[in-house]
Amino acid sequence: MPGKREQNREQNRQALIKAVLDSVSEKGISETSVSEIIQRAGLSRGMIHLHFGGKDNLLAAAARSSSEEYYDGLEALLQSGGDSPQERVEMIVRGDLSEPVLNRRNVSIWYAFRGEARNRSAIAEYSDTRDDRLRNMILNAFTRIVREAGREDPVLSARDATHGTIALMEGMWTDYLLHPDRFDRDEALRIVFRFLAALFPAHFSLAGAVPPKN
Amino acid sequence: MPGKREQNREQNRQALIKAVLDSVSEKGISETSVSEIIQRAGLSRGMIHLHFGGKDNLLAAAARSSSEEYYDGLEALLQSGGDSPQERVEMIVRGDLSEPVLNRRNVSIWYAFRGEARNRSAIAEYSDTRDDRLRNMILNAFTRIVREAGREDPVLSARDATHGTIALMEGMWTDYLLHPDRFDRDEALRIVFRFLAALFPAHFSLAGAVPPKN
DNA sequence: TAGAAAAATGGACAATCGTCCATCTAAAGG
DNA sequence: CCTTTAGATGGACGATTGTCCATTTTTCTA
């Protein structure tokens, strides 16, 4: 077991990362200064240089942390889910649009980092990993769905279905970013599933995806 | 006609805005300083304060300018297009994903501003306008399409179709942002139209949207 | 063309930025 | 308990930030 030294060390590292994510979500990247970070973390000025070697590295670590949190949650969800490919797709979509994942804080953080990713290679790197993991999960499911559909000429290749589904979810995130107030989670879910139902009518039923209207 | 005074004045204002957009696309918002801007514009330091009253206002003006350019292009495209609603949707989609609109520079700028929009109200404002204009254009078209479909129980309401289509396009932009190298414009178009064809088979044919495969 | 007005200049300014290190504190090992 | 060593502190530092204005230059008007 780790001694108190190591324990404190890790605790402070995490406190710095959390402080960055809090600040980025509330004030944006441009206002996330060293002073802001250490004030939120309640630590001393030198800690950033000590633990991360500089502010940029800390930002990159925070971006990675946020990304990993997202994926760990999604994969945990998949563990508990059914085995059929349509169930897996459904769980991913539901998970991706669920409140613990898609919320103001996460959306703010995600888009703030993306906006700067182009120019901060350290941040940009994690982005690909994230993307590939999600893409593979969905691609595996759609590959089975397309195969089961068993037509000679499928409406859509598994690759295209994956690409489109991810784009659809990404677009919903953007919608949330731009209109957090009027965003309707059920509506977003309904739309994604209607699109999927139109593409694969045998696999995605509308009834399962849409709450009764009354 | 405007005198040389007014002419120079407007010319310098535009030079500043262009300098901001260039810098944002190349270096990101965080590196777009006053020094960087005036150096690119080849103007003196005081110009920003003189013409815009401060850096923040200039950034907001640049964001608005970029947004207006996007919409003007899209609406010009619509003027020249056919009258049928499916043609209008098709033109919007094609326009939104065309090289003059969806390119590295614009994507960089767009996402950079979005990442900071949450915390800069001046920038956030233009975002709603932009969105509403596009949404209404598409909604009008889908309303006619749904009506023409003439079923009692349409697969999708015009509102949902609009929401989904916009999300799909937004998602393609995100895809371009994250993978500018491997992004395939034709593939993106194909996917959007296959989704639309699945939803409204009578209105969107695959043949029209997909270049021959060989 | 002389005077008035507007536009443009570029440096001064305080404030803030991120980095780094001399110093102090506290846990670990003998 | 004493020594060692890693961790933590907070201020000093030069660089850079955005703002603002006294001054100069250019255009317009009378």
Side-chain angles (χ1 to χ4, degrees):
Chain A
M1 77 184 215
K4 194 167 184 183
R5 268 256 175 79
E6 176 78 13
Q7 199 172 330
N8 275 358
R9 184 187 157 87
E10 191 53 30
Q11 187 175 317
N12 286 335
R13 276 183 57 101
Q14 292 305 320
L16 286 173
I17 288 179
K18 175 173 171 4
V20 167
L21 294 179
D22 287 344
S23 172
V24 166
S25 80
E26 289 173 29
K27 306 230 180 160
I29 282 195
S30 64
E31 302 214 36
T32 298
S33 62
V34 167
S35 305
E36 178 76 29
I37 295 167
I38 57 108
Q39 191 181 337
R40 282 175 184 266
L43 295 174
S44 63
R45 205 163 178 70
M47 292 291 268
I48 291 176
H49 178 255
L50 176 65
H51 285 302
F52 296 93
K55 188 199 172 192
D56 280 355
N57 289 340
L58 170 55
L59 283 190
R64 194 177 329 117
S65 166
S66 172
S67 169
E68 281 171 5
E69 195 183 327
Y70 169 85
Y71 274 92
D72 290 347
L74 218 55
E75 280 181 344
L77 202 74
L78 277 187
Q79 298 290 339
S80 71
D83 276 340
S84 79
Q86 57 265 38
E87 273 175 312
R88 294 180 77 84
V89 170
E90 199 171 321
M91 293 212 84
I92 292 175
V93 173
R94 284 188 186 282
D96 188 69
L97 299 179
S98 68
E99 207 279 336
V101 173
L102 177 59
N103 52 54
R104 292 199 188 217
R105 179 183 148 93
N106 283 349
V107 166
S108 286
I109 293 171
W110 209 253
Y111 280 82
F113 280 134
R114 275 194 183 156
E116 286 283 278
R118 176 73 63 99
N119 313 103
R120 311 210 185 195
S121 57
I123 290 181
E125 284 172 12
Y126 84 94
S127 180
D128 267 349
T129 326
R130 154 206 136 93
D131 209 47
D132 285 345
R133 283 171 68 186
L134 177 61
R135 174 160 276 113
N136 280 333
M137 287 194 257
I138 302 182
L139 181 58
N140 287 339
F142 273 120
T143 302
R144 288 173 59 191
I145 289 178
V146 167
R147 191 179 303 141
E148 285 174 13
R151 299 208 230 156
E152 299 231 340
D153 179 24
V155 196
L156 212 59
S157 70
R159 244 184 108 252
D160 284 0
T162 302
H163 193 163
T165 303
I166 290 177
L168 212 36
M169 291 192 295
E170 288 284 1
M172 293 302 172
W173 276 60
T174 302
D175 192 36
Y176 189 104
L177 172 79
L178 298 178
H179 313 290
D181 298 318
R182 69 170 101 142
F183 182 82
D184 183 332
R185 207 176 296 276
D186 291 330
E187 183 180 317
L189 274 172
R190 183 181 69 229
I191 292 171
V192 173
F193 285 119
R194 296 226 164 161
F195 272 61
L196 289 180
L199 290 165
F200 303 101
H203 291 79
F204 295 96
S205 72
L206 293 181
V210 191
K213 266 194 179 177
N214 290 343
Chain B
M1 81 181 212
K4 193 166 183 181
R5 266 248 178 83
E6 176 78 14
Q7 199 174 330
N8 275 357
R9 184 187 157 87
E10 190 52 30
Q11 187 176 316
N12 286 335
R13 276 183 56 101
Q14 292 305 319
L16 286 173
I17 288 178
K18 176 174 173 358
V20 167
L21 294 178
D22 286 345
S23 172
V24 166
S25 80
E26 289 174 28
K27 306 231 181 158
I29 281 195
S30 65
E31 302 215 35
T32 298
S33 62
V34 168
S35 306
E36 178 76 28
I37 295 167
I38 57 106
Q39 191 181 337
R40 282 175 184 266
L43 295 173
S44 63
R45 205 164 179 70
M47 293 289 269
I48 291 176
H49 178 253
L50 176 64
H51 284 302
F52 297 92
K55 188 199 171 193
D56 280 355
N57 289 341
L58 170 56
L59 283 190
R64 194 176 333 115
S65 166
S66 171
S67 170
E68 281 170 5
E69 195 184 326
Y70 168 85
Y71 274 92
D72 291 347
L74 218 54
E75 280 181 344
L77 203 73
L78 276 187
Q79 298 290 338
S80 72
D83 276 341
S84 79
Q86 56 266 36
E87 275 175 310
R88 295 182 75 84
V89 171
E90 200 170 320
M91 292 213 83
I92 293 175
V93 173
R94 285 188 187 281
D96 189 70
L97 300 180
S98 69
E99 207 279 335
V101 173
L102 177 59
N103 52 53
R104 293 200 188 214
R105 179 182 148 92
N106 284 348
V107 165
S108 285
I109 292 170
W110 208 255
Y111 280 82
F113 280 133
R114 274 194 184 156
E116 286 282 280
R118 176 71 64 98
N119 313 103
R120 309 209 186 196
S121 57
I123 291 181
E125 283 170 15
Y126 85 93
S127 179
D128 267 349
T129 326
R130 156 207 135 92
D131 209 48
D132 285 344
R133 283 170 68 186
L134 177 61
R135 174 160 276 113
N136 280 333
M137 287 194 256
I138 302 182
L139 180 58
N140 287 338
F142 272 121
T143 302
R144 288 172 59 193
I145 289 178
V146 167
R147 192 179 302 143
E148 285 174 14
R151 300 208 229 156
E152 300 231 339
D153 179 24
V155 196
L156 211 58
S157 69
R159 246 186 105 251
D160 284 2
T162 302
H163 193 163
T165 303
I166 291 176
L168 211 37
M169 290 192 296
E170 288 284 0
M172 292 302 171
W173 277 59
T174 302
D175 193 36
Y176 189 104
L177 172 79
L178 298 178
H179 312 291
D181 298 318
R182 71 169 101 141
F183 181 82
D184 183 333
R185 207 176 295 276
D186 291 329
E187 182 180 316
L189 274 172
R190 183 182 67 228
I191 291 172
V192 173
F193 284 118
R194 297 229 163 160
F195 272 61
L196 290 179
L199 290 166
F200 303 101
H203 290 79
F204 295 96
S205 71
L206 293 181
V210 191
K213 265 192 177 177
N214 293 342

